[in-house]
Amino acid sequence: VTLAARGPVVAIHGGAGTRTQAMREHKKEWHVSLRAALDRARTVLEAGGTALDAAQAAVALMEDGADQLNAGRGSALCSDGSVEMSAALMRGSDRAAGAVAGLRRTRNPIAAARLVLDSPQVLMVGASADELASAAGLEQCEPGYFVTEAQLARLRAGVARDRAGARAADVGAGPVDVGAGPADGGTVGAACLDADGWLAAATSTGGLRGQPPGRVGDTPLIGAGTWADATVAVSCTGDGEAFIRAGVARQLAGLVRCGVTLEEAARRALEDVAALGGAGGLVALHASGELVAPFLTEAMPRGVWRAGQAPQIVS
Ligand code: ASP
C-alpha cells in the first residue's frame, strides 16, 4: 500500500453522552457542525497541509459552533455558571505536544494549545495561558461570550435534578435527560492522517457540567485524553477522572505498539475506564488508515472522511 492510498484521513467526534432530547431536536445542526469541521480539515489535507494543521482547523471550527458542542462558545458551565476551557494538540511525527487548561477568555483554546506546542512548554494553565494567547494576537472575548442560554438551562436543570435526586430514586423515577456528568457530551476532537503518512490528534472541551471551578479533566492531559505518535492518534471524551486514571490514550498506543490490534487496544482501554466506574468514547486512527470509534455511552456523534470517498457523519 502506498502512502497516498491510505491517506489522507480525517476522523472527528462531538463527545460521548446520552441521546438527549436536545440532540434529537437539533440533529440537523449537529450534522452541519460536524460536516463543516470535516470539510475544513479535508481542505487543509487536500492542499497538502499537515495532519496537525488539519486537526487544529477541525477543532477550531467546532469550538465556534455554538450550542451543540461543549467547547469554546457554548461550553458546559462550571457550578458557579462560569466557563473554563481546556484543549490539547499532539503531532505524531515528533510527539510535540501543546495543551491549555482553565482558559476563560481565549476564543479558540485549540489555537492557544498550538502556541504551546510551538514553545518549549507542554501545558499552560489559567490566566497566564490566556495572557500568552492574547500576547500572540489570539482573539480574546468577554467571559459572557462563551455562556449560552442552552447551557445555562442545562446547569439549572442539573442542579434541580440533583436536589430532587434522593426523592426521585425513592419513587423509582427513570433517568432524566439533563444530568450532570458527560451526559450531554459535546467535547470535540479530531484525529488526522496526512498525505505523508503522519498523524495528529486534537481535543477541546468546557469540561463537565457543574464541575467546580479549577477542575481539569483528561482533555488537556497528554496521554490521557489526547495522544499522537508515529503509529496512532487518539482523541477521547467522557468521564475525565476515569480517563486520567486509566491513562487511556497512551495505554491504547502502547498496546498497539506491542502488537495488539487497534480495535482490541481501544476495547481494552475503554474496559479500563469502565472498571473505574467511568464511561465515554474515543476515536483512534492508525497510520495504516484504519479507524475505530468505540464508545460506552448511548451516543457519540462522529464523522470520517477518506481521500477519494464521500464524508460520513453518524450521530
Ligand atoms: N472528558 C471531558 C472532561 O472530563 C468531558 C467530556 O468529554 O464530555 O472534562
Side-chain angles (χ1 to χ4, degrees), residues 121-132:
Q121 287 74 41
V122 168
L123 174 60
M124 297 289 292
V125 304
S128 303
D130 275 324
E131 276 161 29
L132 180 93

Side-chain angles (χ1 to χ4, degrees), residues 237-248:
T237 166
D239 295 308
E241 283 71 12
F243 276 73
I244 294 169
R245 290 161 64 212
V248 171

Side-chain angles (χ1 to χ4, degrees), residues 59-286:
V59 165
L61 205 133
M62 293 190 280
E63 289 175 339
D64 287 341
D67 282 1
Q68 290 78 44
L69 300 164
N70 168 19
R73 176 166 143 75
S75 279
L77 304 179
C78 295
S79 55
D80 64 356
S82 66
V83 166
E84 288 192 346
M85 300 165 289
S86 297
L89 198 54
M90 190 164 185
R91 177 167 62 207
S93 57
D94 60 354
R95 281 190 277 162
V100 287
L103 294 189
R104 288 176 168 262
R105 307 189 78 97
T106 302
R107 174 171 168 167
N108 288 114
I110 200 67
R114 176 61 181 267
L115 284 177
V116 179
L117 183 144
D118 290 327
S119 81
Q121 287 74 41
V122 168
L123 174 60
M124 297 289 292
V125 304
S128 303
D130 275 324
E131 276 161 29
L132 180 93
S134 173
L138 295 188
E139 188 177 341
Q140 302 292 296
C141 301
E142 286 306 310
Y145 161 82
F146 301 99
V147 179
T148 59
E149 277 306 316
Q151 290 290 9
L152 272 172
R154 286 192 193 126
L155 183 69
R156 286 191 202 110
V159 170
R161 189 211 58 157
D162 291 345
R163 285 207 188 104
R167 201 160 34 91
D170 285 347
V171 298
V176 218
D177 255 358
V178 284
D184 53 349
T187 289
V188 303
C192 296
L193 174 66
D194 62 32
D196 292 330
W198 294 117
L199 293 157
T203 318
S204 182
T205 190
L208 296 181
R209 179 159 20 82
Q211 69 184 7
R215 178 261 181 192
V216 176
D218 59 313
T219 302
L221 301 187
I222 299 304
T226 306
W227 178 263
D229 58 24
T231 311
V232 65
V234 187
S235 172
C236 301
T237 166
D239 295 308
E241 283 71 12
F243 276 73
I244 294 169
R245 290 161 64 212
V248 171
R250 181 65 179 87
Q251 174 177 173
L252 191 162
L255 287 167
V256 170
R257 185 176 292 194
C258 293
V260 175
T261 65
L262 187 66
E263 196 179 351
E264 175 64 10
R267 196 189 63 73
R268 283 197 213 169
L270 284 186
E271 201 175 76
D272 208 7
V273 169
L276 295 170
L282 55 86
V283 295
L285 179 60
H286 194 276

